[in-house]
Amino acid sequence: MRTHLKAMLGLLVGAALTLSPQAAALAAPPTVVTGEPAATATAPHAAADPAYKILVFSRTAGFRHSSIDDGLTALRGLGTANSFTVDATEDGAAFTTGNLAQYKAVVFLSTTGDVLNATQQTAFEQYVQGGGGYVGIHAAADTEYDWPFYEGLAGALFHSHPAIQPAVVKVEDRAHDATAHLGATWQRTDEWYNYRTNPRTTARVLASLDESSYSGGNMSGDHPIAWCKDYRGGRAFYTGGGHTDESYTETAFRRHLLGGIRWAAGMTDADCRPETGYTALFDGSSTAGWKQAGPGSFALADGTLTSQGGLGMLWYSAKEYTGDYSLKLDWRAAGDDNSGVFLGFPASDDPWSAVNNGYEIQIDATDAADRTTGAVYGFRSADLAARDAALNPPGEWNTYELRITGERLEIFLNGRKINDFTNTDPARSLRQGHIGLQNHGDGDDVAFRNIRVKQSGGQQPGPRTGEVKGVNGKCLDIDNAQTADGTKVQVWTCNGSSAQTWTVADDGSLRALGKCLDVSGGGGADGTKIQLWTCNGTGAQKWAPQASDGTVRNPQSGKCLDASGGTWNDGTPVHLWTCHTGPNQKWTLP
């Protein structure tokens, strides 16, 4: 686990909005959002990564790219400068369980054709399922067409390409470490692949091609070219760039590769869940629809809003949000800084209206537990262990998703759920009000990008991934991270492993390690074994969480997921049992 909080500077600082209204009134007069960058608006420096190793695999059974040697040289140079060691091979014999275990990520550098035999494929699958990272560069998408696991890992496979030519790359995600250094567009020359399928529904697209900027694109105007995804317990990053020798001397492209490697290796976090249907409230080019309340301001430069002075708030006055919705935004703290995101407050040019009538989701990783990053300020602390595991340090970007369902607020940091709060105050409402960003005061340097919202009509948007927590705070766990059909499912002390990472899928299944939570034989008797099994869409694999009592029911049997027995130690199996809403039948899903 990365210890990001050690990178935070200073002692405990004052929480958000600690000035009295009288003191606020005596502060500097409000200023408008400026179009000029602040004098010190340079990117903060992030802490160095701990040392780690990667394996670069460049075997080819088809076309061989001359740029492989240049790519390997570039990766070794990046490693020397950024705390990782590169081992390189073209021998599939390196793909054994024991050998792969030493690497945080495996890079497929323009591999082509069938490069691994069945035994080697199995070892690599187990490596990914155990939390290993994958980085695919260019022709990695022209590899292993008959291996379904690999197609899912890569995200999409090669279809065709036009001649090498310049094109405009649209940068869709400027929070991921592979793209945060780029502007909204990136013009470069390469061999631009067309893909057999569009990965947007299964991966977070980081960058796409503007097909009107070059000739030969055939993906109907939606042409992803770089993406990331969580895949069967591991992490997968792919970029379509890297055909030309010159690619590997481009500073921006080398930094793009470094970011993909760092993320795949677990050195940095990002929200790599698929994302569709969001509408921009701030896209980097204009603050239309936003108003400043109270003193201070936000500087607008490089598609980024950066807080200046305060105590005030920039709020979205153009629309009041009602009903269920998901708000996403990217944020970065320069050091030990203070800010927050406000929800559910009435229209007002007084920032204290948001304090007194809404809720603040805090940004400040060194304050008290109920006033620190991920907390609903003053009301509910984040799950600090989950927060610390997901949080990037000062100088790196983070992504919040704030999901409103009724009066329930779920907080996701870099795609991982860290808080779950329900409003019970009749004087406040999460499902009605405005959205705001706090500028806390002089010296509090917090930046925001890509603010977007999705109104979901009462449906929670997309699959959710994380821990399933049950009795005594233990996690639903797959015995020894095994993937064989029939593997025992149990409760175990939470450890953040892939064996405890579950996805609540849209079809009602609970999935981990590429398989489904299953009622053995589709049975209905008390004590029927709950196990891991190949997903098959049957009623034995459907699960319905009950908001009213915290149980998780199998609709086919009408019975509940239950931790067996009367004491619940590590290794206690789960089974099916008549619902009684006892503590061993209460579960918290992602």
Side-chain angles (χ1 to χ4, degrees):
M1 180 184 297
R2 302 186 314 281
T3 54
H4 292 323
L5 294 185
K6 293 181 181 178
M8 300 302 293
L9 306 176
L11 301 174
L12 297 183
V13 296
L17 296 176
T18 53
L19 291 177
S20 67
Q22 293 80 9
L26 294 174
T31 57
V32 298
V33 174
T34 175
E36 297 300 323
T40 58
T42 57
H45 178 70
D49 295 330
Y52 62 101
K53 294 175 68 175
I54 68 170
L55 178 66
V56 178
F57 184 53
S58 54
R59 183 178 180 182
T60 55
F63 181 82
R64 185 169 183 86
H65 285 73
S66 64
S67 60
I68 287 175
D69 290 342
D70 296 280
L72 184 54
T73 298
L75 294 174
R76 283 177 168 149
L78 288 171
T80 299
N82 294 280
S83 305
F84 63 87
T85 300
V86 173
D87 288 344
T89 187
E90 298 203 349
D91 188 353
F95 285 72
T96 66
T97 301
N99 189 55
L100 292 176
Q102 65 184 303
Y103 300 110
K104 290 290 188 180
V106 178
V107 179
F108 279 56
L109 174 59
S110 283
T111 50
T112 54
D114 294 331
V115 291
L116 297 176
N117 65 31
T119 300
Q120 294 158 359
Q121 289 177 358
T122 297
F124 188 55
E125 289 185 18
Q126 292 172 344
Y127 166 78
V128 172
Q129 290 165 350
Y134 162 86
V135 174
I137 301 175
H138 193 57
D142 188 22
T143 301
E144 294 288 358
Y145 289 91
D146 298 321
W147 182 12
F149 178 91
Y150 184 83
E151 180 177 3
L153 182 71
L157 295 178
F158 169 78
H159 175 269
S160 60
H161 66 80
I164 296 170
Q165 59 190 298
V168 173
V169 178
K170 299 178 292 184
V171 181
E172 298 189 23
D173 185 325
R174 297 185 67 204
H176 195 286
D177 196 53
T179 45
H181 64 293
L182 300 170
T185 58
W186 182 24
Q187 184 156 343
R188 59 182 308 271
T189 297
D190 217 315
E191 180 184 77
W192 302 112
Y193 276 7
N194 299 308
Y195 301 95
R196 298 185 178 194
T197 56
N198 191 317
R200 190 176 294 278
T201 59
T202 60
R204 173 62 170 140
V205 175
L206 305 178
S208 58
L209 292 174
D210 179 352
E211 288 193 333
S212 69
S213 69
Y214 73 106
S215 299
N218 71 357
M219 296 185 68
S220 302
D222 183 14
H223 195 139
I225 198 64
W227 53 82
C228 62
K229 65 192 301 186
D230 295 310
Y231 186 72
R232 299 196 181 183
R235 295 181 174 200
F237 168 86
Y238 172 82
T239 179
H243 171 86
T244 65
D245 298 353
E246 294 78 11
S247 294
Y248 298 98
T249 60
E250 294 176 30
T251 300
F253 185 71
R254 287 164 62 99
R255 184 63 184 82
H256 177 59
L257 294 179
L258 174 62
I261 291 168
R262 291 189 70 236
W263 177 79
M267 298 297 118
T268 185
D269 269 301
D271 189 344
C272 283
R273 297 172 297 169
E275 183 176 309
T276 58
Y278 282 80
T279 300
L281 302 188
F282 170 69
D283 64 2
S285 61
S286 170
T287 55
W290 293 83
K291 292 179 66 177
Q292 178 70 26
S297 66
F298 281 80
L300 171 57
D302 187 29
T304 304
L305 290 168
T306 303
S307 62
Q308 297 184 139
L311 183 84
M313 177 184 67
L314 183 67
W315 63 288
Y316 192 65
S317 61
K319 184 173 182 177
E320 181 178 32
Y321 283 90
T322 60
D324 299 345
Y325 66 94
S326 167
L327 172 70
K328 285 190 176 184
L329 50 83
D330 306 329
W331 60 269
R332 181 185 68 194
D336 186 11
D337 299 289
N338 192 315
S339 185
V341 182
F342 283 99
L343 303 174
F345 59 91
S348 175
D349 287 327
D350 178 4
W352 288 93
S353 176
V355 179
N356 296 326
N357 299 289
Y359 287 102
E360 180 188 4
I361 293 76
Q362 179 74 326
I363 297 171
D364 182 353
T366 61
D367 210 331
D370 67 342
R371 301 178 179 190
T372 187
T373 296
V376 182
Y377 181 88
F379 289 91
R380 183 178 179 88
S381 170
D383 179 332
L384 296 182
R387 189 279 310 276
D388 292 352
L391 180 66
N392 288 326
E396 295 191 24
W397 287 91
N398 294 275
T399 298
Y400 266 161
E401 181 192 0
L402 310 178
R403 183 184 297 169
I404 303 295
T405 309
E407 291 294 340
R408 181 186 186 189
L409 166 61
E410 297 171 273
I411 301 174
F412 296 79
L413 176 64
N414 296 322
R416 312 299 175 186
K417 187 173 178 179
I418 62 167
N419 207 340
D420 196 331
F421 168 76
T422 299
N423 169 50
T424 58
D425 183 348
R428 303 177 190 240
S429 178
L430 281 163
R431 64 194 321 268
Q432 181 171 356
H434 288 271
I435 293 164
L437 309 175
Q438 184 188 68
N439 54 294
H440 185 264
D442 290 336
D444 284 316
D445 180 1
V446 179
F448 296 90
R449 282 178 175 171
N450 195 14
I451 305 166
R452 64 266 194 206
V453 69
K454 177 178 181 177
Q455 293 189 277
S456 54
Q459 299 298 315
Q460 293 187 354
R464 293 123 51 207
T465 298
E467 296 170 329
V468 175
K469 290 189 175 181
V471 64
N472 295 338
K474 292 183 180 287
C475 278
L476 193 66
D477 177 278
I478 299 165
D479 187 24
N480 287 316
Q482 298 175 80
T483 58
D485 284 350
T487 295
K488 171 187 174 184
V489 179
Q490 59 193 3
V491 293
W492 198 274
T493 300
C494 298
N495 55 35
S497 70
S498 59
Q500 297 179 355
T501 302
W502 297 86
T503 296
V504 184
D506 291 336
D507 64 358
S509 63
L510 277 170
R511 302 180 177 222
L513 301 181
K515 294 196 172 181
C516 281
L517 190 70
D518 177 278
V519 179
S520 180
D526 282 354
T528 300
K529 177 183 178 182
I530 303 297
Q531 60 191 1
L532 195 70
W533 200 268
T534 299
C535 298
N536 53 35
T538 66
Q541 298 180 354
K542 305 296 184 185
W543 300 95
Q546 306 297 303
S548 60
D549 59 21
T551 62
V552 175
R553 306 192 180 205
N554 170 240
Q556 177 173 275
S557 65
K559 295 192 175 182
C560 280
L561 180 66
D562 178 286
S564 63
T567 57
W568 305 286
N569 300 314
D570 284 354
T572 297
V574 294
H575 60 194
L576 197 68
W577 202 266
T578 300
C579 298
H580 53 67
T581 70
N584 58 320
Q585 291 189 351
K586 293 186 182 296
W587 305 90
T588 301
L589 274 62

